[in-house]
Amino acid sequence: MAKKIQDSRAFLGALALLIVGAIMAFKVGFFFAPEVFGSGALTSRWWWEIVLNLQILCLAFMWFCHHNRMQQGEGKWRLRAVFNFIVGIISVSYPVILLVVGAYFDWFRVAPPEGSVVVLMLAGIGLWAMGSFIMPVFTAVIVGRRHLGAAGEALGFKPVAWAKTFWPTFVVVGLLVIEALRDSVTLYMFVPIFMYIQGALPYLKKAYHASPRDSDI
């Protein structure tokens, strides 16, 4: 029997991240595999209209996810909720950030050079690393490890907990290594999916293990 979602707000946060992961995967695929998706897909108006509408939806999901936690939290717990909200908003806003950058450099009429795309990918990986690894450590310092519950199980040298917590990251590293060895870019489009799955895992854990009082939207 499937587990019941007990915290629908946390589930909305996870859903927002997964949607953005799919958007970013298509973006990468449009650029590196134009023979599959078509040469004009990345700069097409229909694609960006879809992205903007989904972007609004994802921002709304992330707001619903964190609003009550920031409003009802006190002291260090409120500070933790605010930091988590900021990281979540930045994470789901990356497609529209690319939209603004693309408009500034006129990439909607002329496709961006590969070097610029690589820089944006590295920037995205940097933001992902900060949100997925640096901020959780920062949160542990603020609230104390003993208050993290299941999230604190991966702290310290615990390979099994690491495997359960960071398996999407291991997949990302594996894909990057494989493509570097093959001198290929075919699998790059799958990298954003697993990056955002990594970000969504804490939300999913919260959704299935919260108390019933968190289920309202």
Side-chain angles (χ1 to χ4, degrees):
M1 182 181 295
K3 293 183 179 179
K4 181 181 178 181
I5 294 175
Q6 300 183 36
D7 186 344
S8 55
R9 290 177 179 267
F11 182 76
L12 289 179
L15 186 58
L17 289 167
L18 294 176
I19 290 173
V20 173
I23 291 173
M24 296 304 301
F26 276 109
K27 284 180 180 291
V28 175
F30 288 168
F31 183 82
F32 286 111
E35 68 280 0
V36 176
F37 296 101
S39 58
L42 188 62
T43 58
S44 62
R45 180 175 177 177
W46 64 266
W47 163 247
W48 283 103
E49 287 180 350
I50 292 174
V51 169
L52 286 175
N53 281 285
L54 289 176
Q55 188 77 95
I56 294 170
L57 179 66
C58 291
L59 288 171
F61 281 175
M62 197 57 70
W63 170 258
F64 279 122
C65 176
H66 291 281
H67 176 260
N68 274 11
R69 307 182 204 286
M70 292 188 293
Q71 189 178 51
Q72 298 174 6
E74 297 181 355
K76 59 189 177 182
W77 294 105
R78 175 173 291 179
L79 183 62
R80 175 194 180 190
V82 170
F83 278 125
N84 287 339
F85 171 70
I86 293 173
V87 171
I89 288 294
I90 293 175
S91 297
V92 299
S93 298
Y94 201 60
V96 81
I97 293 174
L98 295 182
L99 171 65
V100 173
V101 172
Y104 179 80
F105 289 104
D106 200 24
W107 286 342
F108 292 100
R109 289 191 294 180
V110 180
E114 185 171 334
S116 298
V117 174
V118 171
V119 169
L120 290 173
M121 288 178 63
L122 292 176
I125 291 175
L127 287 174
W128 164 71
M130 181 174 181
S132 297
F133 306 109
I134 297 177
M135 287 304 298
V137 173
F138 184 64
T139 298
V141 172
I142 292 177
V143 304
R145 178 177 172 177
R146 70 179 186 277
H147 296 298
L148 295 179
E153 294 179 359
L155 298 178
F157 184 70
K158 298 182 178 180
V160 175
W162 288 0
K164 292 180 179 179
T165 305
F166 300 116
W167 66 265
T169 298
F170 298 148
V171 174
V172 168
V173 174
L175 290 174
L176 294 176
V177 170
I178 290 172
E179 292 304 84
L181 294 176
R182 297 197 316 166
D183 192 23
S184 172
V185 294
T186 306
L187 299 180
Y188 279 169
M189 69 174 295
F190 296 103
V191 170
I193 294 177
F194 289 98
M195 288 173 60
Y196 276 88
I197 288 176
Q198 179 68 73
L201 284 182
Y203 289 91
L204 290 174
K205 290 181 180 179
K206 180 69 169 64
Y208 288 120
H209 297 288
S211 61
R213 69 176 181 274
D214 295 325
S215 63
D216 65 306
I217 294 180

